[in-house]
Amino acid sequence: MARADFERLPEDDLGALRPFATRRTYSAGTTLFHQGDRPRALLVLEQGEVELVYRTSSERLVVQILYAGSSVDHLAILRDTPYPYSAVTLSEVTVLSVRLDTLRTLEQLFPEIAFRWVGLLAHALDRAHQRLLELAGRSALERVSHLLLHEAAERDEPVVELTQEELAATLALSRQTVSGALQVLAQEHVIKQERRRIRVLDLEKLRARLPS
């Protein structure tokens, strides 16, 4: 879920949730939960960024990057299933945590809040599905360009704080392939590669890299 999704909740609903939540701060590189863990609380990012990571015996795939205002997978909570991936902080983050037993009570006291959260989850899943369709059949350069545009829009700024390794893991491409695509964009003065981040210099040229 993106920041705009969370902001659709009226302030009185947020006010109803916050007194029941615990606020914690975690440093970069902290694992909030592991793939296969059972959910114990609803987690909402107040500040910072988190990546959702799926691991197999041979690879590490970044499923999604979450920003302030996102819930950290309450699909597993709704389905009562283990987390299908791990959540790892990319920066220092502040997290609101609502225990599941408290969440069940809130669902009874404030059913309208629970209804909105389900609606927002459906919206987020639809966006994820659309993103998969948009990436299908595209070249590596187009996929890299699309991801940079998406991340810049999510952050509402032209700086994407991702390394080449993280881009490669997110797109299921090799680091060499991502590096080559970034070099092409840099040579055309579309982006500038900086330490552990990428600065978008020309959004229009980047959009032009995508098929209409």
Short mmCIF file of all heavy atoms in Angstrom, two decimals, residues 3 46 56 78 134 159:
data_model
loop_
_atom_site.label_atom_id
_atom_site.label_comp_id
_atom_site.label_asym_id
_atom_site.label_seq_id
_atom_site.Cartn_x
_atom_site.Cartn_y
_atom_site.Cartn_z
N ARG A 3 1.61 5.49 0.28
CA ARG A 3 1.31 6.56 1.23
C ARG A 3 -0.08 7.14 0.97
O ARG A 3 -0.85 7.40 1.90
CB ARG A 3 2.39 7.63 1.07
CG ARG A 3 2.25 8.83 1.97
CD ARG A 3 3.51 9.68 1.90
NE ARG A 3 3.93 9.92 0.55
CZ ARG A 3 5.17 9.71 0.10
NH1 ARG A 3 6.10 9.26 0.90
NH2 ARG A 3 5.50 9.97 -1.14
N GLU A 46 5.41 4.57 10.10
CA GLU A 46 5.23 6.01 10.27
C GLU A 46 6.33 6.77 9.54
O GLU A 46 6.11 7.86 9.03
CB GLU A 46 5.28 6.38 11.76
CG GLU A 46 3.94 6.39 12.43
CD GLU A 46 3.94 7.21 13.69
OE1 GLU A 46 4.97 7.30 14.39
OE2 GLU A 46 2.89 7.79 13.99
N THR A 56 14.63 -18.08 -1.63
CA THR A 56 14.65 -19.51 -1.93
C THR A 56 16.04 -20.01 -1.54
O THR A 56 16.86 -19.26 -1.00
CB THR A 56 14.39 -19.77 -3.42
OG1 THR A 56 15.51 -19.30 -4.19
CG2 THR A 56 13.13 -19.06 -3.89
N LEU A 78 -5.17 -11.15 7.69
CA LEU A 78 -6.53 -11.42 7.27
C LEU A 78 -6.72 -12.89 6.90
O LEU A 78 -7.78 -13.47 7.16
CB LEU A 78 -6.90 -10.53 6.08
CG LEU A 78 -7.05 -9.03 6.37
CD1 LEU A 78 -7.25 -8.26 5.08
CD2 LEU A 78 -8.20 -8.78 7.32
N GLU A 134 2.10 -4.45 -16.41
CA GLU A 134 2.86 -3.40 -17.08
C GLU A 134 4.29 -3.84 -17.38
O GLU A 134 4.89 -3.40 -18.36
CB GLU A 134 2.88 -2.15 -16.20
CG GLU A 134 1.54 -1.43 -16.13
CD GLU A 134 1.51 -0.37 -15.06
OE1 GLU A 134 2.52 -0.23 -14.34
OE2 GLU A 134 0.48 0.32 -14.92
N VAL A 159 14.79 11.31 -6.22
CA VAL A 159 15.89 10.49 -5.73
C VAL A 159 15.37 9.12 -5.31
O VAL A 159 14.48 9.03 -4.46
CB VAL A 159 16.61 11.17 -4.54
CG1 VAL A 159 17.71 10.25 -4.00
CG2 VAL A 159 17.20 12.50 -4.98
#
